[in-house]
Amino acid sequence: MSEEKNEPLDFIRTIVSNDVANGCKVVTRFPPEPNGYLHIGHAKAICIDFGVAREFGGVCHLRMDDTNPTKEDVEYVDSIQDDVRWLGFDWEDKFFYASDYYEKLYEFAMEIIRRGKAFVCDLSADEVKEYRGNLTEPGKESPFRNRSIEENLDLFERMRKGEFPDGSRTLRAKIDMAHPNVHMRDPAIYRIRHAHHHRTGDSWCIYPMYDFAHCLSDSIEGITHSLCTLEFEIHRPLYDWFIEAAGATPHPRQIEFSRLNLTYTVMSKRRLLELVQGKHVNGWDDPRMPTICGLRRRGYTPEAIRKFCEILGITKTNSLSDIALLEHCLREDLNKRAPRVMAVMDPLKVVIENYPEGQCEELEATNNPEDPTQGERLVPFSRNIYIDRNDFMEEPPKKFFRLAPGAEVRLRYGYFIRCTEVIKDAAGNITELRCTYDPETRGGSAPDGRKVKGTIHWVSADHAVEAEVRQYDRLFSVENPGAEDNWLDCLNQDSLEIKKAYLEPELTKAVPGFICQFERQGYFCADKDSTPEKLIFNRTVALRDSWAKTQNKN
Ligand code: ATP
Ligand code: MG
């Protein structure tokens, strides 16, 4: 059922496929807290949650797990929806908020109290901590644990009415203070917070704890398979307990998988927020950020991200994935779709002395050799061109096949040119080259059969358009910055380099988001702030594929 591949199913799809065979109609959900922008780690969860539902004919809900009134914002809610849609997934009309269930959750809490399984506790936060014990020592029971059901119902109702200040009381589950799993030691269910909520306003001054709200929201929505990351495994007994104690049906089945971590990247929203607030990057969508909006602005495609998640697969062991694999998936995708253009980043002027002044001809250039349907375009050629400075060497080593004094090179889509003179300024810097061209070599070969080994890119200096090009490097200089105490000290100080480039005139038409390959250099994407008057390109990824290289070596 799962796609038409002959690969064995992963452990999640194996379970789901058995349940489907037994008549289950699959309902999954992706439940972000709207307290930050989504990142590539979330993309993995999204691909699994939505992917499994789609493959097994079910639906996937998008639910904002908005139980923390102070950290949430509509800005995040909107961006989450944009990002999920952009990744290629659809929740149909199944968009929900945990805050929609506040009344039901309150009723569940009342039911748990009526069953004698929850109590209102007057211990302070510090005392609760003290009473909890630790991994080796059992906790101590709260002196308020044995309040009568009537008293608990009364106090909880008054908590809701706002009679008590923040932090003065909590509603706690009555489970077992000696439980080996500390999450089971009478955890809090509700706390008092006189705080404004972005959706419910001031109608509540008590808020459910995440663990309580999360599992019961799943049940309320009829989720069949709660797919989540491994850190929730230890919470599962508590989720089971809440569902039983509240008498909620159905009882979703939780299955955990490992989180995605990437080299040279931090992934938690808290840290990403710190990068933004500390102005270490230019916002959530800075193209160096691992956020979905950052990757999008950088020129990543949803196809590349989905492919990456597919290759990673689903496992039960946390590990650090190589960012080079993500870049590899991107190159593979862009290689097929991105049109080629010529751009000169570090210009060296070349005057072709035997080409008539003022003349211009249009040379035919293939847009994408991988995709003939992309056709051809015309590139203007004239007496004055720019080439990249590093395609010329005055004293070339033996295997340098590009331009050098007296040497001949092929201009991409154009003619052979030969360097006849090197012009320098007073300080000895090369300022210009003089060349001749061979009119017989249009199209890239000589009728006399003579060969040139090198082909270089160029633009017509008389026609080129200027652009600002932003070249990015890894945001961090160490492989696992998240593991460092002073992770902010590991920021790569040279992660952004701004350059001026000369581009084919065609590129004035590039709209924001347009992705192309600058031949021999890499893939570039027109920035969201790019305009025909001021073109701005982000370097998406360089051409050199370190992932493919390491794979070939093995
Ligand atoms: P963060 O730790 O980055 O703040 P979070 O887990 O608190 O993330 P949520 O908004 O709660 O963020 O995440 C929504 C869903 O995305 C959860 O089900 C979570 O398991 C999943 N998720 C978050 N980070 C990753 C990751 N790195 N890899 C895979 N899934 C993830
Ligand atoms: Mg979280």
Side-chain angles (χ1 to χ4, degrees), residues 385-531:
I385 64 171
Y386 291 127
I387 65 168
D388 247 309
R389 197 162 274 276
N390 62 14
D391 280 332
F392 174 79
M393 279 185 95
E394 199 171 13
E395 286 162 34
K398 244 195 160 149
K399 295 221 158 147
F400 187 82
F401 298 120
R402 292 167 276 164
L403 202 57
E408 201 171 34
V409 78
R410 180 186 295 108
L411 294 178
R412 184 88 163 123
Y413 309 117
Y415 299 96
F416 290 4
I417 57 170
R418 187 183 299 278
C419 177
T420 51
E421 193 186 346
V422 180
I423 297 177
K424 297 181 182 175
D425 63 12
N429 302 308
I430 301 173
T431 52
E432 190 179 299
L433 302 179
R434 297 275 160 160
C435 290
T436 55
Y437 86 116
D438 178 351
E440 299 294 311
T441 56
R442 182 171 168 153
S445 58
D448 64 5
R450 86 180 179 279
K451 300 277 180 237
V452 301
K453 278 202 168 147
T455 303
I456 63 174
H457 61 272
W458 54 276
V459 292
S460 163
D462 300 337
H463 303 87
V465 291
E466 269 182 42
E468 175 178 315
V469 169
R470 301 173 182 169
Q471 309 228 59
Y472 301 101
D473 196 356
R474 311 225 185 285
L475 187 52
F476 290 92
S477 50
V478 301
E479 202 168 68
N480 190 4
E484 304 285 329
D485 291 335
N486 302 318
W487 62 280
L488 281 171
D489 294 344
C490 305
L491 279 165
N492 174 6
Q493 298 307 322
D494 303 316
S495 59
L496 170 60
E497 189 189 355
I498 297 182
K499 290 198 158 185
K500 191 167 90 176
Y502 291 94
L503 316 178
E504 287 179 29
E506 272 281 298
L507 285 164
T508 37
K509 290 189 221 139
V511 293
F514 172 78
I515 306 171
C516 56
Q517 184 194 93
F518 291 179
E519 288 206 38
R520 300 176 62 223
Q521 303 182 78
Y523 295 96
F524 291 77
C525 174
D527 189 68
K528 65 168 187 190
D529 296 330
S530 184
T531 62

Side-chain angles (χ1 to χ4, degrees), residues 268-412:
S268 91
K269 280 186 279 195
R270 185 176 54 77
R271 285 186 164 156
L272 297 177
L273 182 64
E274 246 180 285
L275 287 175
V276 173
Q277 288 179 337
K279 302 220 182 309
H280 302 288
V281 295
N282 303 316
W284 283 99
D285 68 348
D286 185 300
R288 290 166 292 182
M289 289 281 272
T291 48
I292 304 295
C293 54
L295 294 169
R296 177 164 63 226
R297 184 169 173 193
R298 176 84 172 250
Y300 271 79
T301 60
E303 290 82 358
I305 294 174
R306 292 201 304 263
K307 182 74 188 176
F308 172 65
C309 294
E310 185 192 319
I311 292 175
L312 290 178
I314 306 181
T315 68
K316 280 268 190 196
T317 32
N318 281 318
S319 64
L320 197 56
S321 299
D322 195 339
I323 194 165
L325 173 60
L326 176 62
E327 292 170 346
H328 168 77
C329 293
L330 180 63
R331 284 189 194 93
E332 295 269 293
D333 186 45
L334 295 182
N335 181 40
K336 286 177 277 171
R337 66 171 77 221
R340 276 55 167 166
V341 298
M342 292 195 287
V344 172
M345 216 73 84
D346 188 6
L348 176 58
K349 188 164 179 201
V350 174
V351 177
I352 299 165
E353 292 189 304
N354 59 340
Y355 196 84
E357 199 119 25
Q359 183 173 315
C360 168
E361 67 189 288
E362 309 250 85
L363 301 173
E364 275 163 25
T366 306
N367 283 331
N368 187 342
E370 301 288 323
D371 177 9
T373 65
Q374 291 186 20
E376 305 207 313
R377 71 184 182 287
L378 296 173
V379 182
F381 179 72
S382 68
R383 179 180 161 93
N384 302 308
I385 64 171
Y386 291 127
I387 65 168
D388 247 309
R389 197 162 274 276
N390 62 14
D391 280 332
F392 174 79
M393 279 185 95
E394 199 171 13
E395 286 162 34
K398 244 195 160 149
K399 295 221 158 147
F400 187 82
F401 298 120
R402 292 167 276 164
L403 202 57
E408 201 171 34
V409 78
R410 180 186 295 108
L411 294 178
R412 184 88 163 123

